[in-house]
Amino acid sequence: MAAVAGVTSPGGGSEPVRVLIVDDDALVRAGLSMILGGLPDLLVVGEAADGGEVPAAVAAYAPDVVLMDIRMPRVDGLAATEALRGQPDPPEVLVLTTFDADEQVLRALRAGAAGFLLKDTPPADIVHAVRRVAAGEAMLSPTVTRTLINHVTAATPGPSGPDPRRERALRLLAALSERERQVAIALGRGRTNAEIAGELFMSVATVKAYVSRLLSRLDLNNRVQVALLVHDADLV
């Protein structure tokens, strides 16, 4: 495990977002460190070369966001994400992949990852994604949401048999209030808090309160999982 030692927070202003980079490719780690390391509001606190190193790295460096590669030779990013999100007060996870239609990506999102990035994502978009996830937003654009819908649809049994996942999703969503359900469906469409506020005539603060309430009532980790639940229910 490689760490960035002796780094101090920029003076004046809020604390920077602490980022841990996990990838078995040293060149990818170096590239991400260069992209993120020169910005005053982001701080690369450490690196790990395998998912098995993640628990110790998180304990040592207390990151706010983990950039997590999916494919690693010993412990992959999926297993590492599942283990990490099962801990109390875990950091947010952004999974990294070379594919935008990978079943492993969907599994990582179900495990609690806040979103995913392709490894050829432009640097400015990577920076935006880290900032957005650190602020509690999901990194799911409408395009990515449509990709996930296709995955969910492909994995759903045909009319010849029941779909337990869909039945569970419908049961959970049926217990919500009408307003909560409207917010959940907007999350399923990949909307930001500001976009939901405009569509539903709420303040952004009210939207955030509804999202927090949804996570508590549905026993989910983040808004990506709410979006997937809505997709499971075929409501978008």
Side-chain angles (χ1 to χ4, degrees):
M1 177 170 54
V4 180
V7 184
T8 56
S9 302
S14 60
E15 290 293 316
V17 174
R18 300 169 63 83
V19 182
L20 173 69
I21 298 171
V22 184
D23 198 295
D24 64 323
D25 189 327
L27 289 178
V28 172
R29 296 198 306 271
L32 290 170
S33 292
M34 288 181 62
I35 290 169
L36 302 174
L39 299 168
D41 62 328
L42 302 178
L43 182 65
V44 178
V45 293
E47 300 176 2
D50 186 75
E53 299 176 0
V54 169
V58 168
Y61 307 121
D64 301 303
V65 176
V66 178
L67 287 177
M68 182 86 74
D69 187 21
I70 285 286
R71 291 183 172 88
M72 290 179 283
R74 292 180 293 276
V75 178
D76 65 21
L78 176 61
T81 298
E82 289 172 337
L84 188 58
R85 294 302 301 178
Q87 297 178 0
D89 195 24
E92 299 293 347
V93 176
L94 266 171
V95 296
L96 297 167
T97 180
T98 53
F99 301 96
D100 63 354
D102 189 341
E103 177 64 23
Q104 286 187 308
V105 171
L106 181 60
R107 290 175 60 196
L109 294 175
R110 290 194 185 280
F116 74 87
L117 293 172
L118 299 179
K119 287 190 175 181
D120 61 358
T121 298
D125 292 344
I126 293 175
V127 171
H128 172 70
V130 172
R131 288 171 174 159
R132 181 170 170 176
V133 166
E137 293 274 354
M139 191 53 206
L140 272 187
S141 67
T143 300
V144 170
T145 299
R146 284 192 293 272
T147 301
L148 293 177
I149 290 173
N150 291 336
H151 270 298
V152 172
T153 302
T156 298
S160 59
D163 180 1
R165 181 174 286 167
R166 182 174 184 271
E167 292 174 356
R168 174 182 175 274
L170 287 171
R171 184 175 67 254
L172 289 172
L173 294 171
L176 302 177
S177 70
E178 179 61 27
R179 205 59 162 162
E180 288 169 342
R181 194 156 43 249
Q182 289 174 341
V183 173
I185 290 171
L187 292 176
R189 291 175 174 146
R191 302 292 194 261
T192 65
N193 286 345
E195 289 168 342
I196 296 172
E199 289 177 3
L200 300 182
F201 305 102
M202 299 176 172
S203 69
V204 172
T206 300
V207 173
K208 290 180 179 179
Y210 268 102
V211 172
S212 295
R213 192 182 309 164
L214 284 170
L215 296 180
S216 177
R217 294 200 62 184
L218 298 171
D219 193 25
L220 298 174
N221 290 317
N222 57 49
R223 56 199 288 143
V224 177
Q225 291 181 319
V226 177
L228 290 172
L229 191 71
V230 171
H231 299 159
D232 287 343
D234 289 334
L235 295 182
V236 292

